[in-house]
Amino acid sequence: MIIVRVPLRVSLFGGGTDLPDYFERYGGSVTGFTINKYIYIFASKVDINQGFKFRLSYRTNQDVNTIDEISHPIFREVLRSYNFDQTYHFSTMSCLPSGAGLGSSSSFTVGLHFLLNTLVGVEDSRMDLAKNAIHIERNVLAESGGWQDQLHPAFGGFNTFNFNPGGLIERKPLDLKSEDLKALNRSMYILYSGEMREAKVIEDSKKMALNYDLLKETHDIAREGEKLLRGDSFDLLELGKLLNEGWLLKRGMSRAVSNSSLDNLYDLILKKGAYGAKLCGAGGGGFFLVLASESVMTSLNESLPNSTMSQINIDFNGLMRNEM
């Protein structure tokens, strides 16, 4: 059996500037990191004929004899891209649900490529893994969205990705001082908003009304955020301020990004004294990233007794594989 572990991601700044419609004109930049929450993908070779070619276990179980019969679109199209013909049982599980704004589908796509490379004896670069996943999700499956969600899990860690016309991608790892990294890790939480959403619906609504002026402002904040993180004066208050500015811009890109319930929760987070917060991913639901002290989160938890919140740390291990 082979097990692949893929981290989920949080984007801090620049979301939307990784859309080709934007960066092919103006260039784009995103900064974010992978977190210590994971998707696991398992592959076990089937040596005895049990009446199926592929057994897939995810939210449901499916036994099929051809790739075309596979219902799960990512399983189907990734296996098809490899022309995979061996008999295997594939299964997957996740620390957190899909639709949470943490890039789970893209992490899964990257991880499945990584797994299949092992099975067929191919060694792709991390950039190739990301680009192959981008191709499957954005071109083959025609799913709306940018390119950062595939890059973060492929590389792991804390990175800025710059996007240039022609599809040229530049990776710039961020290396915080030890004490600054500890301060950041102590202050990062994800808080469930109480609502789930389908990212495709949100991204489609934003693409239909693509606001280049707001995206240019978002791009400016991304540059400012990167400068802050690479500077000598790390400041959680300033980082939180930029998170808030970025969220307010994102909220203006489409009515589907937020609603009164989400706005009220965001306002409560700030009222309790958080440095800053933003809804992860496309918006519309899922998890808020909250930058706050432990005492603030304790107070917030008392006000939201039925909420789900978890402290998170940056994951620097990235993709991992284990053969049993």
Side-chain angles (χ1 to χ4, degrees), residues 3 25 93 106 134 152 165 181 213 229 235 238 244 246 257:
I3 305 171
R25 294 189 184 191
M93 60 181 293
S106 296
I134 289 168
H152 286 299
L181 179 60
D213 290 334
L229 290 164
D235 190 322
E238 288 299 313
N244 294 330
V257 169

Side-chain angles (χ1 to χ4, degrees), residues 72-138:
H72 192 291
I74 295 174
F75 264 129
R76 183 182 64 245
E77 298 307 330
V78 173
L79 287 168
R80 193 199 306 278
S81 72
Y82 282 82
N83 196 25
F84 193 76
D85 196 41
Q86 302 176 52
T87 300
Y88 263 85
H89 181 183
F90 295 99
S91 60
T92 182
M93 60 181 293
S94 177
C95 294
L96 296 170
S98 61
L102 301 173
S104 59
S105 64
S106 296
S107 288
F108 174 71
T109 309
V110 169
L112 188 55
H113 274 100
F114 187 55
L115 174 62
L116 284 166
N117 279 356
T118 304
L119 298 182
V120 302
V122 171
E123 192 68 38
D124 278 336
S125 70
R126 296 305 170 104
M127 185 61 77
D128 284 337
L129 282 172
K131 288 185 174 180
N132 289 337
I134 289 168
H135 173 69
I136 291 293
E137 292 192 85
R138 302 294 174 250

Side-chain angles (χ1 to χ4, degrees), residues 139-154:
N139 299 328
V140 177
L141 295 175
E143 294 178 352
S144 297
W147 288 13
Q148 67 166 317
D149 285 0
Q150 296 82 6
L151 289 157
H152 286 299

Side-chain angles (χ1 to χ4, degrees), residues 36 48 58 70 72 76 121 185 196 216 229 254 306 322:
N36 57 337
I48 298 174
Y58 43 105
I70 297 174
H72 192 291
R76 183 182 64 245
N185 278 333
M196 300 303 287
K216 287 177 182 177
L229 290 164
S254 166
N306 298 318
N322 185 32

Side-chain angles (χ1 to χ4, degrees), residues 35 47 111-113 131 145-146 151 154 167 192 202 207 217 240 275 318:
I35 63 175
D47 294 319
L112 188 55
H113 274 100
K131 288 185 174 180
L151 289 157
Y192 180 48
I202 311 298
K207 188 174 181 179
E217 290 185 60
Y275 306 121

Side-chain angles (χ1 to χ4, degrees), residues 10-24:
V10 165
S11 173
L12 288 181
F13 307 117
T17 71
D18 59 329
L19 289 163
D21 286 348
Y22 178 83
F23 73 68
E24 287 292 348

Side-chain angles (χ1 to χ4, degrees), residues 159-175:
N159 296 284
T160 293
F161 293 102
N162 293 325
F163 302 90
N164 301 289
L168 180 64
I169 303 168
E170 177 191 15
R171 175 192 174 224
K172 297 168 61 182
L174 271 155
D175 186 18

